[in-house]
Amino acid sequence: MAIAELGHTGLWVDDLPLMRDFYERVLGLTVTDHDDDFGIVFLSARPGVEHHEFVLQTGRTAPPGAKQSHQISWRVESLDDIRAFHRRFAEEGVKVQQEVTHGNAFGIYFFDPEGNRNEVYLRIDRDIPQPFRKSIDFGLPPEEIYAEAERLLDDGGPAYRPVQ
């Protein structure tokens, strides 16, 4: 017996319309079902394949600023997608914690309107021991991003540079 994959996850929220708008409009997830009486929304990145990977429901009891989850990570298909989210987050005023290379992935760590940390990430076909996290700028042209990522793999500094 083994786990095949993560099916879905969810968050308790205070402001369901605000959070629904963020995940639907800013991240581009599709609402597949909702029930206003129960204050619940089901969302999917692949609605033709998976009914939902993400659920939002009213009823958060943790105070603002309390850590509820480590992060929610959303995989993308290309560097162009990462760069598009870099631009969208700037346009939308989304709080970005850090843009990084993990050696085996590129990622942008950001916060939703209720302070939950998320990541959009692109897998890179590299086997790099983890944790490895160094800041990188996804506003650069693609060839410069790849060159900087290679340089950071061999720069001799600490492999893990978390944001302070």
Side-chain angles (χ1 to χ4, degrees):
M1 179 168 69
I3 300 295
E5 64 183 19
L6 176 64
H8 63 270
T9 191
L11 292 175
W12 296 107
V13 303
D14 284 324
D15 188 333
L16 186 60
L18 175 69
M19 296 292 279
R20 175 181 174 163
D21 176 68
F22 180 82
Y23 284 97
E24 187 176 15
R25 186 178 55 79
V26 177
L27 286 192
L29 300 180
T30 299
V31 172
T32 55
D33 267 321
H34 65 93
D35 187 308
D36 294 336
D37 292 335
F38 289 112
I40 191 167
V41 176
F42 299 87
L43 300 112
S44 181
R46 309 171 300 149
V49 175
E50 190 71 46
H51 179 269
H52 64 277
E53 295 103 343
F54 195 54
V55 178
L56 299 170
Q57 187 168 16
T58 57
R60 180 176 176 153
T61 58
K67 292 183 177 180
Q68 292 195 122
S69 64
H70 181 266
Q71 70 193 46
I72 302 165
S73 295
W74 306 95
R75 188 174 57 81
V76 300
E77 296 290 335
S78 72
L79 181 58
D80 286 341
D81 292 332
I82 291 283
R83 295 177 74 237
F85 276 111
H86 167 88
R87 290 187 300 275
R88 177 173 290 168
F89 293 160
E91 292 164 2
E92 294 283 342
V94 172
K95 181 181 176 189
V96 171
Q97 182 185 44
Q98 192 176 21
E99 296 184 342
V100 303
T101 176
H102 289 296
N104 64 1
F106 292 144
I108 301 175
Y109 290 91
F110 63 96
F111 296 94
D112 71 19
E114 291 191 2
N116 300 292
R117 186 169 73 164
N118 283 250
E119 175 191 24
V120 288
Y121 75 98
L122 172 66
R123 284 189 276 184
I124 305 295
D125 192 19
R126 302 284 300 257
D127 186 19
I128 305 298
Q130 298 298 308
F132 183 95
R133 182 161 96 178
K134 296 184 181 183
S135 294
I136 196 165
D137 179 3
F138 293 119
L140 297 171
E143 60 278 0
E144 291 182 35
I145 292 169
Y146 284 114
E148 177 66 359
E150 286 299 314
R151 187 192 70 72
L152 289 168
L153 283 172
D154 299 320
D155 74 354
Y160 188 65
R161 293 187 193 149
V163 77
Q164 299 301 322

